[in-house]
Amino acid sequence: MRAFVIVGHRAVTAPTFTLKDLPGSGGRLDILLRSLNASLFLSHSIRRDVRTYLVLLGPPNAPRTIRFDGASLQHANPDERSLAILVEKALKTLVTGHYWQTSTPGVAISARGLEDLDDELKGLTPTLLEEGGADAFTHPWPSDVAVYVGDHEGFTESELAHIEKVREAPRVSVGPRALHADHAITIAQNALDRAAAASASGTSPTQ
Amino acid sequence: MRAFVIVGHRAVTAPTFTLKDLPGSGGRLDILLRSLNASLFLSHSIRRDVRTYLVLLGPPNAPRTIRFDGASLQHANPDERSLAILVEKALKTLVTGHYWQTSTPGVAISARGLEDLDDELKGLTPTLLEEGGADAFTHPWPSDVAVYVGDHEGFTESELAHIEKVREAPRVSVGPRALHADHAITIAQNALDRAAAASASGTSPTQ
């Protein structure tokens, strides 16, 4: 199982955005939608072993977390507008505290923030995807992993303290250039796919 | 210089699509837009050393090629809708044969197809990004490269003949899973970034 936890510090927490302006009206919701795509989609199929959590921390109802479960996800197309409509439907769903309320098949929402996801991620090794870490292509990935990814603002100090100190997540990086969150996730998935294939065949991940 | 040549076999060649349905009305234009994003965008900046060619082969005016020049590109945001508007403006521009007509700064259109781009790509080593090739992370990338990428339908036999036989492009692959074109481009860019960094410092690309 792979989980991706993606934090959007300005992403709106009510269905107030317009599909005509996801970056502006959605608080850079576009970044989260592309990150969702990068974590879940294969060519002609969905990664059934992935759960992606979009942590929305913008106005007016923060925090909200939307969970996409690859194993049961339906009606998901890779284009931004289609994924935005799934987020809109989730934000229109009545939320009761930390309980996961299903909005559409495979999609659920709750009033959780980053720290409230720890029980969800039990059994998965926490890993921080951020600049200045070990190389993703030589990192010894476990098969069950929870990958934390920041938006264009990265992480706050208290978020980093939770991920790196409380959760003891090692820091892993994808390469020599600073990339958008979705591109970093695509590369991390490739590194994870290579680690899984190498583990199955006993070879090196970049062989 | 890196060029990416991305072929959309059903992508419309007139500004007839609606922004509300890029996959359907645009002939999977969404795939090309995400591929454009993957080729051109860095975090908070644009790759100035990249040119991306979207080869549109759908109705009613095929072929059309839209060229995005990272060195002079303006008004480009990474979200699909913003990039679709740049494509729409290009398709509204009067086209005269193989001449590159500028539509917005850094964006130009002509009535070229895949084979008509060979003179544009002079001095760049052709490379085919496709399943069943050498590993992108150990491939000896030159610094000046033209990477050919297919859409969800891959390439036709005659396109492959042109790329692999006429142009003698080696086949390079990104990993163990079949991926969307944009994800493959993101990983290829990472392999190219690593090759460039390793070449500058004399180390291994996945070190």
Side-chain angles (χ1 to χ4, degrees):
Chain A
M1 243 290 285
R2 302 177 193 171
F4 287 85
V5 180
I6 305 156
V7 180
H9 294 94
R10 296 174 188 273
V12 294
T13 44
T16 51
F17 61 85
T18 164
L19 297 168
K20 291 185 179 179
D21 181 17
L22 294 170
S25 70
R28 293 313 306 273
L29 189 58
D30 63 312
I31 294 174
L32 299 192
L33 299 171
R34 289 195 295 279
S35 297
L36 177 62
N37 171 318
S39 65
L40 273 175
F41 284 89
L42 289 169
S43 179
H44 306 294
S45 67
I46 285 182
R47 292 180 182 269
R48 298 296 174 192
D49 62 338
V50 167
R51 278 190 180 173
T52 301
Y53 298 82
L54 301 186
V55 181
L56 316 179
L57 299 178
N61 299 320
R64 289 287 186 270
T65 294
I66 307 177
R67 181 181 69 192
F68 296 79
D69 185 354
S72 55
L73 187 61
Q74 291 180 28
H75 315 307
N77 291 309
D79 64 292
E80 274 174 41
R81 194 174 192 280
S82 295
L83 295 174
I85 290 171
L86 292 183
V87 166
E88 189 177 42
K89 284 180 179 168
L91 289 173
K92 283 181 176 169
T93 303
L94 188 67
V95 172
T96 315
H98 287 189
Y99 178 78
W100 291 105
Q101 190 71 46
T102 297
S103 50
T104 53
V107 185
I109 185 167
S110 76
R112 299 186 190 216
L114 183 67
E115 301 190 6
D116 308 317
L117 294 173
D118 292 354
D119 67 322
E120 280 279 309
L121 305 173
K122 259 184 203 155
L124 307 178
T125 304
T127 310
L128 172 63
L129 200 60
E130 181 71 314
E131 290 176 59
D135 185 3
F137 286 95
T138 50
H139 179 69
W141 290 103
S143 56
D144 296 310
V145 63
V147 182
Y148 290 88
V149 191
D151 62 2
H152 60 299
E153 298 182 355
F155 289 103
T156 65
E157 283 302 314
S158 70
E159 287 164 354
L160 281 181
H162 184 74
I163 298 167
E164 295 195 286
K165 291 181 186 153
V166 178
R167 303 273 286 150
E168 298 180 340
R171 190 177 282 226
V172 170
S173 303
V174 293
R177 308 295 297 265
L179 302 179
H180 281 290
D182 58 312
H183 296 169
I185 291 170
T186 297
I187 297 163
Q189 283 285 38
N190 188 248
L192 280 156
D193 289 342
R194 286 165 179 264
S199 164
S201 71
T203 59
S204 147
T206 53
Q207 197 163 359
Chain B
M1 243 289 285
R2 302 177 192 171
F4 286 85
V5 180
I6 305 156
V7 180
H9 294 93
R10 297 173 187 273
V12 294
T13 45
T16 51
F17 60 85
T18 163
L19 296 169
K20 291 185 179 177
D21 180 18
L22 294 170
S25 71
R28 294 313 307 271
L29 189 58
D30 62 311
I31 294 174
L32 300 191
L33 299 171
R34 289 195 295 278
S35 297
L36 177 63
N37 171 319
S39 66
L40 273 175
F41 285 88
L42 289 169
S43 180
H44 306 293
S45 67
I46 285 182
R47 292 180 182 269
R48 298 296 173 192
D49 62 337
V50 167
R51 277 189 180 175
T52 301
Y53 298 83
L54 301 186
V55 182
L56 316 179
L57 299 178
N61 300 319
R64 289 287 186 270
T65 294
I66 307 177
R67 182 180 70 191
F68 296 79
D69 186 353
S72 55
L73 187 61
Q74 290 179 28
H75 315 307
N77 291 309
D79 64 293
E80 274 173 41
R81 195 175 191 280
S82 295
L83 295 173
I85 290 170
L86 292 183
V87 166
E88 188 176 43
K89 285 180 179 167
L91 288 173
K92 283 181 176 169
T93 303
L94 188 67
V95 172
T96 316
H98 287 188
Y99 179 78
W100 291 105
Q101 190 71 48
T102 297
S103 50
T104 53
V107 185
I109 185 167
S110 76
R112 299 187 190 215
L114 183 67
E115 301 190 4
D116 308 317
L117 295 173
D118 292 355
D119 68 320
E120 280 279 309
L121 306 172
K122 258 184 204 155
L124 307 178
T125 304
T127 309
L128 173 62
L129 199 60
E130 180 72 314
E131 291 176 58
D135 185 3
F137 287 95
T138 51
H139 179 69
W141 291 102
S143 56
D144 295 310
V145 63
V147 182
Y148 291 89
V149 191
D151 61 4
H152 60 300
E153 298 182 355
F155 289 103
T156 65
E157 283 302 315
S158 71
E159 287 164 354
L160 281 181
H162 184 74
I163 298 167
E164 295 195 285
K165 291 183 185 153
V166 179
R167 303 273 285 150
E168 298 180 341
R171 191 178 281 226
V172 171
S173 303
V174 293
R177 308 296 297 265
L179 301 179
H180 280 290
D182 59 312
H183 296 169
I185 291 170
T186 298
I187 296 163
Q189 282 285 38
N190 187 249
L192 280 157
D193 288 343
R194 286 166 180 263
S199 164
S201 70
T203 59
S204 149
T206 53
Q207 196 163 5

